[in-house]
Each structure stands twice: as C-alpha cells, then as structure tokens.
Amino acid sequence: MCAPQTSIFTIAWHNPERIDCRKRARRPHARVLIAQISDLHITPPGTFAYGCVDTAAALTAAIDTLNRFSPRPDLVVISGDIAHAALPEEYQHATKLLRALQIPFAAISKSRPPVSHSRGLPDPAYGAADSALNSMRRVGELDILLIDSTVPDAVHGELDTATLGWIEKTLAASSTRPALLFLHHPPFDTGIVSSDEMRLMNADALAALLKRHPRAVGGRGPCPPRRPNRVRGHLCNHLPGRRTVGHA
C-alpha cells in the first residue's frame, strides 16, 4: 500500500554551558528549534510518485502542521529528493508548494539540480554551479551546516576535497558556537541493507576532520569544561539522531 512519504522531525537545542557555576544558576538563553522534512519527491501537478503516492498532498499537510507549531521552529531544513525525477516542472511545483511555508527554510538536496530548475529555492547559491551545494545558516547560537554528499550518477555518498575543505574552514571560524550537520548519506552502517548501500564512503575523512575541532568552553572560575565538541550532532536523511524530540 502506498502512503505519503513526508515526515517531520524536530530538534530542540539549548546551550548547557550558559551556567554560572559559582551561583549554580542558568543565565538567560534562547532555545533553538529546528524542523526537518525529507524526501519530498514532488512530481508534476496531477501525477503521483511511484504511481500511487500523492507527494504534493503530503507536503501540503506537512507545511500545514509546521505552520501550526507552537512554539514555531526557527528554521526548516529540507533534505533528500526534492523533485522525484529532477524535472524542471517538478522543481517549479515544489517551489510553488513551499511558498505556503511561513517559516524560513533551507534545502540540501540528494541531487544537484541545474540552476534553471531550482530558481525560487531559498539559498541564492543553490544550483548556481556544477559543484557541491554546501551552505551554512546561523540560527541563534547554533550553526547549521548543510553538506552536499552527492556523487553524480551514483547512489552512494562521498565528500569531495572542496567540501571537506569547506567544512574544515566553516568549523574553524568559531571555537565556541555549536554546530549541527545535515547530510543525505549515513556516515555509518545502519543495519538497513538499502541504506548501507548508499552510505557515505569516506566517512573516516569526516570523522578525522571533526576530531580536529574541539570546542573551547570559556569557563571562568572552578567549573570544568562540559561537552567539549563543537559539533553537537549530524542528521542523515531517513535516519534522525537522538536529538529528535518529536515526530508528526
């Protein structure tokens, strides 16, 4: 039986280091709420994905749910396949449907659409060149890294040299701001055969890079540093991590 594919995952984050250790009291901080929707698989108007899934209706329902959230997410991250077959009319349809979303959003697609296909998507650089579509958003005290792990004409993922360099440079820009990484391909074995066939092939290179970026917690007084890593989590398409606190 076919069913709508679009799901919503929410990630709530707050800064546990903002504590005055002498007074044992939390200083004011703002919580950051990130929502993720994945694999829209939008088809041309009036058609269904796989012949039976009304992905446009599923996305519309997801948008309606997101717009009703209280508190409202600070950012919606859209990952995975935006267009089902990467056709121009599919990207146009997706862009039209996403206009109803009343929350800022950023997209990191499984595929790299030509710029002519992706006009109207949120990031100006999205689809601007035949290269990795990496981008970073600052949301409150949190850095959101959208990482392009796609390999043209392949199902597996890999981070090219330019992308690894971009991640390194972006993380090195701050030793205090936590970061949340989004990429399509799981950087580990999941035990799900179909997912493991499309895993990130050079996950070791990513792991080595992340180890080079410890977070320097600038605490004064007797408090020991807590949570020493700048990178607080990475989220993969279909495989949300522990920081997922809600599902609709």
Side-chain angles (χ1 to χ4, degrees):
M1 178 182 295
C2 290
Q5 301 294 302
T6 304
S7 298
I8 302 171
F9 303 94
T10 58
I11 304 99
W13 178 90
H14 67 274
N15 189 347
E17 277 75 42
R18 299 196 70 177
I19 299 175
D20 187 322
C21 294
R22 291 177 178 176
K23 297 180 180 180
R24 292 295 170 186
R26 278 189 193 276
R27 289 177 281 171
H29 64 272
R31 187 174 73 166
V32 176
L33 184 63
I34 306 296
Q36 179 189 17
I37 58 176
S38 187
D39 282 287
L40 309 185
H41 281 275
I42 297 301
T43 59
T47 65
F48 292 164
Y50 309 108
C52 61
V53 182
D54 189 347
T55 52
L59 176 57
T60 298
I63 290 173
D64 289 343
T65 299
L66 287 165
N67 287 339
R68 292 196 306 269
F69 270 15
S70 181
R72 181 168 284 188
D74 299 284
L75 180 72
V76 176
V77 175
I78 302 172
S79 60
D81 292 282
I82 295 174
H84 187 59
L87 300 175
E89 55 268 35
E90 294 174 341
Y91 283 104
Q92 293 167 6
H93 194 196
T95 299
K96 182 178 179 180
L97 293 170
L98 287 168
R99 288 175 187 159
L101 184 58
Q102 299 168 9
I103 305 165
F105 68 94
I108 182 66
S109 179
K110 175 185 175 183
S111 58
R112 300 177 184 175
V115 64
S116 60
H117 292 14
S118 56
R119 295 187 191 279
L121 290 171
D123 293 306
Y126 193 85
D130 187 19
S131 60
L133 306 177
N134 305 306
S135 64
M136 191 270 280
R137 291 291 188 93
R138 291 194 166 202
V139 183
E141 297 182 4
L142 188 64
D143 289 343
I144 307 294
L145 277 68
L146 306 175
I147 301 170
D148 185 353
S149 57
T150 59
V151 177
D153 302 318
V155 296
H156 70 272
E158 189 170 349
L159 304 178
D160 60 24
T161 301
T163 292
L164 290 169
W166 177 83
I167 298 171
E168 184 99 51
K169 180 179 179 180
T170 303
L171 293 179
S174 173
S175 61
T176 59
R177 290 176 61 85
L180 191 62
L181 277 57
F182 287 81
L183 67 161
H184 180 76
H185 301 88
F188 48 79
D189 287 327
T190 66
I192 304 171
V193 174
S194 59
S195 293
D196 291 341
E197 289 176 347
M198 61 177 67
R199 63 164 291 169
L200 187 71
M201 292 303 180
N202 60 341
D204 290 346
L206 176 62
L209 186 158
L210 298 182
K211 287 180 181 179
R212 293 195 293 272
H213 292 277
R215 180 180 178 195
V217 181
R220 295 184 177 182
C223 297
R226 297 176 59 192
R227 294 179 180 264
N229 293 328
R230 164 152 153 74
V231 178
R232 294 304 180 84
H234 52 269
L235 290 97
C236 306
N237 183 41
H238 301 311
L239 298 164
R242 290 185 179 181
R243 295 191 181 276
T244 297
V245 296
H247 176 266

